[in-house]
Amino acid sequence: MELLVQAGSARSALLSALREARGGEISNALILVDEAKLFISAAHKIQTELIGLDEGTGKIPVSLILVHAQDHLMNAMLIQELASDMIELYRRNPQGN
């Protein structure tokens, strides 16, 4: 469950960062991106622990909540990459021209 919480928090922070950047608040956006990085790092640590416990042998049962958490983490990681580029574009061209 903690994996889902951390990944979901990262996703939310990144989407908020994009909204801030769109509104011209680049410094706020960058703060939110840094916050998201901490959430992603925590989620990745949990994911790595689970992989270690499983040892590739199916010791960890695959549940819907685990799949959902993994989906949130992968989406957050993808949004992080895209958000960084988009925030930079907003920074370079604040008027959207």
Side-chain angles (χ1 to χ4, degrees):
M1 188 56 93
E2 189 63 23
L3 176 60
L4 180 59
V5 169
Q6 295 294 331
S9 295
R11 183 180 176 278
S12 294
L14 290 162
L15 292 175
S16 292
L18 285 170
R19 281 190 294 277
E20 289 289 323
R22 189 170 45 245
E25 300 295 333
I26 301 301
S27 59
N28 290 347
L30 295 174
I31 289 168
L32 287 163
V33 167
D34 286 342
E35 183 179 305
K37 286 178 184 178
L38 295 174
F39 289 127
I40 287 173
S41 179
H44 192 258
K45 182 179 178 195
I46 295 165
Q47 180 189 49
T48 301
E49 289 172 7
L50 289 172
I51 291 168
L53 290 171
D54 187 69
E55 297 176 330
T57 61
K59 292 178 182 176
I60 302 292
V62 178
S63 64
L64 184 57
I65 194 77
L66 181 57
V67 171
H68 186 59
Q70 286 290 118
D71 186 47
H72 268 289
L73 178 56
M74 295 311 299
N75 281 323
M77 293 171 79
L78 177 60
I79 293 168
Q80 180 183 15
E81 291 177 32
L82 294 172
S84 294
D85 286 343
M86 291 179 70
I87 290 167
E88 178 60 20
L89 291 172
Y90 282 122
R91 186 192 66 75
R92 289 182 188 184
N93 193 7
Q95 303 302 318
N97 298 323

